[in-house]
Amino acid sequence: LRFWFVIAFSLGEKGEILACPGLRVIILGDKMIVICLEGCHGCGKTEMCRRFEKAGYDCLDEAFMDMPALDLHPQSLVMESIWVSRWMERLLTKKAELGEKEKSTIFFADRSPYSAVFYSKTNGHVLDPLIKAQLQALREEAGIFVYTVYLRVASDNLLWERIQTRLVKEPQRKLYNEHSRQWMQTTLQFYESRTWDFVFENNRSSLDDLSLSLSNHLTDRVSDFVNRFELSSQHPIVV
């Protein structure tokens, strides 16, 4: 049997995974599981993905699909709809590409298609039921299971501090309005208003510790989950 994993989750204040009531992770042969890290800019999604990739997991970053440069704004409803469709197509293509492999494969993704609901400048809410239906079709018809993990930062001041630090290194992010604290608050309202599969809090702990903690929790909760942090001798994580 081959196992495919795509998981998205959120972390609690002490590093625990907070699952939605009734959520069960079922592992079957020839299945692909995708773990999508979600949250406000500055919450640690990209850095967490880098740590999972360093440990040997396959990761899909924010730019794992190239979008065409057309007349419409990239965050228009039409362009966000195209992005969502390409996101789904990419998973189907990836599963087909890996069809000959016999080892278990776990994917982590920087953002889920639900981010398009928020970032679409107009009428993004119409994408919500479409995305849910598409993910259901992927589960039932293609054996691709997508889970979301919301990375929450409990303190707004701590999150704003992290955003400011990143803006010094990446000033181009001002183009996305990330220098605005009001935009941070608006973004947080969206993420806090939704129900995610898992919630994991990224506060004062180091990202190395959080990555290891998350991997340990998935090992406990998901059968056949391979804890690559324990297996990797090339990139040990010091706790």
Side-chain angles (χ1 to χ4, degrees):
L1 293 179
R2 294 188 301 274
F3 300 89
W4 308 90
F5 303 86
V6 180
I7 305 174
F9 52 85
S10 299
L11 308 179
E13 183 175 2
K14 297 181 179 179
E16 72 272 19
I17 296 177
L18 304 178
C20 294
L23 176 65
R24 297 181 61 193
V25 180
I26 304 173
I27 306 302
L28 299 175
D30 200 25
K31 177 188 292 185
M32 178 176 173
I33 297 178
V34 180
I35 303 171
C36 303
L37 301 181
E38 274 288 5
C40 181
H41 50 283
C43 72
K45 299 182 300 296
T46 302
E47 288 300 321
M48 284 283 282
C49 278
R50 288 172 181 168
R51 280 157 175 77
F52 282 115
E53 188 170 31
K54 186 178 179 181
Y57 295 100
D58 292 305
C59 293
L60 306 173
D61 62 23
E62 281 185 278
F64 74 92
M65 294 175 301
D66 292 328
M67 287 295 291
L70 302 176
D71 291 339
L72 293 175
H73 190 281
Q75 290 181 324
S76 65
L77 177 61
V78 171
M79 296 304 292
E80 291 289 358
S81 300
I82 293 174
W83 183 87
V84 169
S85 296
R86 291 193 173 192
W87 197 95
M88 306 292 179
E89 181 184 24
R90 185 69 183 98
L91 294 190
L92 289 167
T93 302
K94 177 61 70 174
K95 188 180 181 191
E97 291 173 350
L98 298 172
E100 300 302 319
K101 289 190 176 182
E102 296 182 356
K103 67 177 183 178
S104 298
T105 303
I106 302 168
F107 287 93
F108 284 84
D110 190 334
R111 295 194 181 280
S112 75
Y114 287 115
S115 62
V117 175
F118 174 68
Y119 287 104
S120 177
K121 288 184 173 295
T122 58
N123 299 315
H125 64 281
V126 303
L127 296 174
D128 204 355
L130 174 62
I131 292 169
K132 290 179 181 177
Q134 289 176 322
L135 292 180
Q136 181 177 352
L138 288 182
R139 288 194 305 270
E140 297 176 353
E141 301 172 28
I144 299 176
F145 285 66
V146 178
Y147 297 94
T148 56
V149 179
Y150 171 33
L151 290 178
R152 172 191 285 151
V153 180
S155 167
D156 289 0
N157 289 334
L158 176 59
L159 178 59
W160 181 242
E161 177 184 320
R162 291 175 177 174
I163 291 172
Q164 292 300 299
T165 299
R166 187 167 70 169
L167 282 172
V168 173
K169 299 177 181 179
E170 303 175 50
Q172 69 276 13
R173 288 187 172 271
K174 292 182 179 180
L175 297 174
Y176 306 106
N177 209 28
E178 291 189 12
H179 61 295
S180 167
R181 183 154 185 160
Q182 180 57 50
W183 177 243
M184 181 195 78
Q185 295 292 344
T186 300
T187 305
L188 284 174
Q189 289 174 9
F190 168 78
Y191 282 105
E192 289 293 328
S193 69
R194 299 186 61 85
T195 300
W196 306 96
D197 295 322
F198 298 95
V199 175
F200 204 116
E201 293 203 4
N202 177 15
N203 295 317
R204 295 293 182 181
S205 299
S206 73
L207 288 176
D208 284 342
D209 290 350
L210 286 175
S211 301
L212 178 59
S213 177
L214 176 58
S215 185
N216 288 338
H217 278 290
L218 289 174
T219 301
D220 293 338
R221 294 186 58 85
V222 181
S223 61
D224 299 299
F225 184 90
V226 178
N227 191 335
R228 298 191 182 279
F229 287 96
E230 292 182 353
L231 297 178
S232 175
S233 59
Q234 295 180 341
H235 306 289
I237 303 296
V238 180
V239 184

